[in-house]
């Protein structure tokens, strides 16, 4: 199976323009393509992880990736998929986040001469003269068409700032710039970026003539990634200091049954033939598939050694082992009242629940255990003496955490 057909079979491609030409370019390693990453945090998360896996697949087939860091567009904020305006970041924060992204991307993509390239659109967008910019490309955009774009329509009722209205022309200008400077002939992005991406394709054709070849592909990866990248505790980061390899492993180990095969197809590099053999797995075999998913993805992000340690710890905890590694939170004496801390506060402190209300619900549903004993009531307290020894907290069947006195 050739690469393009494999991407389709893995459920990655949602929409394309010029499918036959795209197929030929990708299969023959002729694509120089870019995917954009907005540096809104100092770590990538699992939503970005999907894009990185795609870039790795394409690079392995001889295509050239461009990782576009949105240091310039981040100064505006993408309205896509949002109900309010993003908070503004300083240029120093954006530059710091960009540097963190590059370090993490290097685990997936090989950068260097005639290999992958990383660029930051701040290098050209922040130096633009606004009047010259509008005169150069303003006539290429129809306001009527822009207002019909999904990324703007969903914001019209609650209010769309003029600042954000500039995002589509600026993202389109990115593709135009990369096409001219680096021969970038293809762009990838999620479904929520389709209108912005078409804007870039049309800008190239209008400015450089109908013979200019610029291809557009949208994928399920970004929209799926945004959905997968959130948990009750917040985002699942690729930075081990934000999400430990064990927590990362457990996140994938605990995906919904209906999503297991989809995640394995989209994210792992296992052969499709092997994945199809798992299609009828149920019960214990389905749990085995989840372990395969968790191990393969943890190995990609954190290396095989960390993946093996995370898997061993997860199995030991499941079997009731007391020496297994698990996420740990240190509790300071100042957090205790009369030498005690309530189980609800402790769960929130350990990141096992976002609020006392949700912690209470978990306890009342019988889903919280301390040192393998079910917590009988929300009024349960953990003592200083218990914390000195270390307290094992279990939420449900699979989420373990340790609290210990600092």
């Amino acid at each position: 199976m050739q690469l393009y057909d494999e991407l389709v079979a893995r459920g990655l491609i949602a929409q394309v323009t010029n499918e036959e030409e795209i197929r030929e370019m990708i299969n023959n390693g002729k694509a120089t393509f870019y995917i954009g990453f907005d540096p809104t945090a100092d770590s990538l998360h699992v939503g970005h992880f999907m894009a990185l896996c795609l870039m790795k697949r394409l690079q392995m087939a001889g295509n050239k990736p461009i990782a576009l860091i949105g240091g310039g567009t981040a100064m505006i904020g993408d309205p896509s998929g949002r109900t309010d305006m993003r908070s503004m970041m300083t240029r120093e924060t954006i530059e710091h986040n960009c540097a963190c992204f590059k370090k993490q991307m290097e685990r997936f993509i090989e950068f260097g001469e005639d290999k992958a390239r990383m660029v930051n659109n701040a290098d050209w967008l922040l130096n633009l003269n606004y009047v010259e910019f509008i005169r150069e490309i303003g006539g290429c955009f129809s306001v009527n068409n822009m207002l019909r774009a999904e990324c703007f329509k969903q914001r019209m009722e609650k209010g769309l700032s003029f600042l954000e209205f500039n995002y589509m022309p600026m993202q389109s200008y990115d593709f135009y710039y990369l096409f001219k400077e680096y021969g970038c002939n293809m762009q990838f992005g999620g479904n929520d970026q389709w209108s912005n991406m078409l804007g870039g394709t049309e800008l190239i054709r209008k400015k450089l003539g109908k013979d200019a070849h610029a291809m557009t592909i949208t994928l399920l990866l970004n929209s799926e990634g945004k959905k997968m990248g959130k948990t009750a505790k917040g985002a699942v980061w690729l930075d081990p200091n934000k999400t430990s390899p064990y927590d990362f492993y457990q996140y994938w180990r605990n995906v919904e049954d209906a999503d297991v095969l989809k995640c394995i197809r989209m994210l792992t590099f296992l052969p499709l033939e092997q994945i199809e053999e798992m299609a009828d797995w149920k019960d214990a075999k389905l749990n085995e598939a989840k372990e395969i998913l968790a191990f393969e993805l943890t190995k990609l992000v954190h290396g095989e050694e960390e993946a093996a340690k995370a898997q061993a710890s997860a199995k030991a905890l499941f079997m009731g082992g007391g020496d297994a590694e698990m996420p740990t939170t240190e509790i300071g004496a100042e957090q205790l009242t009369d030498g005690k801390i309530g189980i609800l506060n402790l769960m929130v402190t350990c990141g096992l629940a976002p609020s006392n209300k949700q912690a209470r619900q978990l306890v009342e549903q019988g889903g919280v255990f301390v040192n393998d004993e079910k917590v009988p009531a929300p009024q349960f307290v953990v003592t200083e003496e218990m914390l000195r020894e270390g307290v094992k907290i279990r939420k449900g069947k699979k989420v373990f955490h340790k609290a210990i006195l600092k």
Side-chain angles (χ1 to χ4, degrees):
M1 183 183 295
Q2 292 190 299
L3 179 58
Y4 183 85
D5 296 320
E6 181 180 346
L7 297 180
V8 173
R10 288 183 180 273
L12 288 168
I13 296 183
Q15 300 180 78
V16 300
T17 61
N18 307 316
E19 182 172 43
E20 288 307 311
E21 194 167 359
I22 287 171
R23 182 195 305 270
E24 190 273 336
M25 292 176 70
I26 288 177
N27 289 343
N28 292 287
K30 297 179 180 178
T32 297
F33 67 96
Y34 94 88
I35 298 180
F37 300 82
D38 275 346
T40 53
D42 59 0
S43 173
L44 298 163
H45 56 66
V46 297
H48 300 120
F49 175 49
M50 295 186 175
L52 295 172
C53 288
L54 176 79
M55 297 175 85
K56 183 179 179 73
R57 293 184 203 279
L58 291 167
Q59 186 177 48
M60 289 168 62
N63 299 287
K64 295 180 182 178
I66 298 176
L68 173 66
I69 305 299
T73 41
M75 301 291 285
I76 294 177
D78 183 1
S80 300
R82 295 187 61 85
T83 57
D84 56 1
M85 192 168 77
R86 294 182 188 272
S87 58
M88 295 292 101
M89 297 184 294
T90 66
R91 189 164 181 177
E92 290 74 21
T93 296
I94 291 171
E95 289 174 353
H96 170 72
N97 293 350
C98 290
C100 293
F101 277 23
K102 186 167 192 274
K103 184 177 179 181
Q104 292 175 347
M105 286 180 179
E106 287 172 342
R107 289 194 66 93
F108 296 83
I109 306 163
E110 187 178 359
F111 291 96
E113 188 175 349
D114 205 36
K115 299 186 187 299
R117 181 189 301 271
M118 176 176 282
V119 296
N120 185 339
N121 63 14
D123 293 341
W124 57 88
L125 291 180
L126 298 187
N127 294 324
L128 288 172
N129 177 289
Y130 188 70
V131 173
E132 291 178 1
F133 175 73
I134 291 299
R135 283 180 60 85
E136 182 179 4
I137 73 162
C140 299
F141 290 86
S142 162
V143 171
N144 292 342
N145 288 340
M146 290 175 68
L147 291 176
R148 285 193 286 268
E150 194 61 36
C151 61
F152 291 142
K153 281 169 57 179
Q154 61 190 1
R155 289 289 306 281
M156 291 303 290
E157 291 185 8
K158 293 197 174 184
L160 175 72
S161 71
F162 180 70
L163 177 69
E164 295 171 293
F165 198 62
N166 283 267
Y167 192 89
M168 182 185 289
M170 292 185 77
Q171 181 173 326
S172 300
Y173 188 84
D174 284 341
F175 193 19
Y176 172 61
Y177 181 91
L178 294 174
F179 182 91
K180 290 193 306 177
E181 297 296 321
Y182 303 114
C184 180
N185 51 26
M186 198 175 294
Q187 57 180 336
F188 287 74
N191 280 337
D192 58 348
Q193 296 294 313
W194 183 242
S195 298
N196 293 338
M197 294 165 67
L198 287 179
T201 298
E202 287 303 307
L203 176 60
I204 289 172
R205 289 174 179 165
K206 288 177 179 178
K207 293 295 294 181
L208 303 177
K210 62 181 180 180
D211 294 330
H213 289 288
M215 311 297 175
T216 300
I217 297 181
T218 71
L219 308 162
L220 293 175
L221 61 92
N222 284 349
S223 53
E224 289 291 331
K226 288 176 181 177
K227 186 167 64 177
M228 291 179 181
K230 300 291 181 181
T231 68
K233 292 171 63 176
V236 178
W237 305 102
L238 304 194
D239 183 345
N241 295 316
K242 287 177 170 285
T243 299
S244 71
Y246 174 84
D247 280 339
F248 189 85
Y249 178 95
Q250 284 292 83
Y251 173 77
W252 295 107
R253 173 63 180 81
N254 295 330
V255 298
E256 296 293 332
D257 290 357
D259 291 333
V260 179
L261 266 292
K262 177 172 67 176
C263 290
I264 291 177
R265 285 192 189 96
M266 294 175 72
L267 299 175
T268 76
F269 287 78
L270 297 176
L272 283 169
E273 295 80 6
Q274 180 181 346
I275 296 171
E276 291 309 312
E277 292 175 0
M278 304 178 193
D280 297 325
W281 287 8
K282 296 178 181 178
D283 301 325
K285 292 293 286 183
L286 189 59
N287 285 330
E288 183 182 337
K290 291 183 180 183
E291 290 176 357
I292 291 171
L293 170 68
F295 181 83
E296 291 295 323
L297 299 192
T298 307
K299 181 173 70 173
L300 273 172
V301 175
H302 299 296
E304 189 163 2
E305 182 179 352
E306 289 295 335
K309 286 169 58 178
Q311 186 174 68
S313 293
K315 288 183 176 180
L317 285 167
F318 183 77
M319 297 300 292
D323 297 326
E325 294 181 11
M326 69 180 82
T328 299
T329 298
E330 293 186 338
I331 305 299
E334 71 279 2
Q335 295 173 271
L336 307 180
T337 301
D338 296 329
K340 301 172 185 178
I341 183 171
I343 186 61
L344 306 186
N345 288 337
L346 184 58
M347 290 178 65
V348 172
T349 301
C350 292
L352 294 171
S355 66
N356 279 12
K357 180 180 179 181
Q358 291 196 29
R360 176 183 293 273
Q361 290 175 346
L362 289 167
V363 170
E364 291 175 343
Q365 292 165 3
V368 181
F369 297 75
V370 169
N371 292 338
D372 298 320
E373 295 289 335
K374 183 184 291 187
V375 174
Q379 293 75 30
F380 181 85
V381 295
V382 173
T383 66
E384 181 175 352
E385 183 179 357
M386 293 168 66
L387 287 168
R388 288 186 191 281
E389 297 295 324
V391 174
K392 182 172 74 172
I393 307 169
R394 173 160 62 91
K395 183 177 73 171
K397 295 181 179 180
K398 303 172 183 176
V399 179
F400 293 83
H401 203 95
K402 184 177 182 179
I404 191 165
L405 194 66
K406 188 183 297 183

